[in-house]
Structure formats: C-alpha cells, structure tokens
Amino acid sequence: MPATAGWYHKALAEIGDGDIDLNSNTIKAMLVSPSYVYDPDHTVIDNGANNSTDPSFNEIVATNYTGGFAGAGRKTLTITGGATVDNTNDYGYWTITDVTWSSLGGATNATVGALILVKEITNDTASRLIAYLGITNRATDGNDFPINFKSGAEGGNLRFSSV
C-alpha cells in the first residue's frame, strides 16, 4: 500500500494568500512516528492534545535528532525555483532537494512513519503545518537516514493536481 501524502488545508490557503512562500520562507522537515494520524484539517505543530493528533507529541526521539521548536533535528529544506507546471500530467509542483539526517539513531532509536513540512513561526503552537509525506515505517539504527523527494518511495515533490 502506498504511503499517504497530502497538504494541510490551512497551509494551502496561506500559500494562495502569500502568507507562506515556499521559495522565500524557511521551510523545515520534521520526522514523526507512525503514531501520528494525518488529518488535512490540522493547522499547527503543537495543538496541545498530546495524543495521536498532535505532531509535536509524535516527533521522534532518537540519537542525533533534537526535536521541538528550532531543534537541530528539523532540517531546513531547499526548494528550488518557483512552481513548475506539467500540462501533460495535469499538475504543478515545487522541486525539493533531497535531505539526509546523518547517523540518525544508534544509542536511542525510533521508527519514522512520516515527514512533515512546516513553517516555524514563534513557537510550535503558532508554527504552521504545510504538507505530510508518509513513508513506509523505517527504524533508525545509527546510519544515515535519507529522504529522496524526486524519485524515492517517499512520495515525490510537492504537487498540486488539477484533476
């Protein structure tokens, strides 16, 4: 079964309004456990629920990953160029450069179930969820943990479909 991927509704509205600019804002990727339940109606990283609906509560805990607002575990993404239109396949997309967490896990390991793109604002209760990219559950083990956005099984680049 393919991994789930999708946009958060509030983020789509903010991209349309210009409040989120994928090319000029700092966009980060956070890793969450399989316990997090994706819902496109979620809006912020920390919704205060401390359960499966709260991304901050489900952020992984592993060696060489410091979660939380401005934590070193969240990787800043490089999104190249503006949105590209693919008329043949009926979608537009942004190209994201692949990212790798070096030596993730080892002494303390976690299972990663998804990567969430976020725009950190002032803290996690204000920081916006942008897109969810579910992956096949992968355990950390002290080796590098790469995400290949373009051709990997993780779901590809960010796309808007018109059909």
Side-chain angles (χ1 to χ4, degrees):
M1 181 168 107
T4 301
W7 294 89
Y8 291 95
H9 297 151
K10 181 70 172 169
L12 285 175
E14 291 183 348
I15 290 168
D17 291 342
D19 294 332
I20 294 176
D21 185 326
L22 295 173
N23 296 112
S24 66
N25 293 151
T26 299
I27 306 300
K28 293 187 176 185
M30 65 184 283
L31 300 176
V32 294
S33 75
S35 299
Y36 172 69
V37 178
Y38 166 68
D39 182 334
D41 295 335
H42 291 165
T43 58
V44 294
I45 295 172
D46 184 356
N47 65 25
N50 292 336
N51 62 26
S52 64
T53 68
D54 189 336
S56 69
F57 184 75
N58 291 281
E59 191 164 13
I60 68 162
V61 175
T63 302
N64 296 320
Y65 186 99
T66 303
F69 182 78
R74 296 179 186 172
K75 294 279 188 183
T76 299
L77 298 176
T78 301
I79 301 176
T80 58
T84 301
V85 175
D86 182 332
N87 288 323
T88 302
N89 295 302
D90 298 321
Y91 62 79
Y93 65 93
W94 287 268
T95 302
I96 305 171
T97 302
D98 297 342
V99 64
T100 298
W101 282 264
S102 299
S103 306
L104 186 60
T108 302
N109 288 300
T111 299
V112 179
L115 173 140
I116 300 176
L117 277 63
V118 302
K119 177 184 174 185
E120 290 184 330
I121 300 176
T122 55
N123 55 45
D124 278 350
T125 59
S127 296
R128 185 66 61 221
L129 300 171
I130 299 172
Y132 174 91
L133 302 171
I135 63 173
T136 302
N137 292 349
R138 285 176 25 200
T140 63
D141 59 7
N143 288 309
D144 289 352
F145 193 92
I147 297 291
N148 183 329
F149 285 100
K150 184 166 180 159
S151 61
E154 290 82 15
N157 288 305
L158 295 178
R159 297 180 182 180
F160 279 115
S161 178
S162 60
V163 291

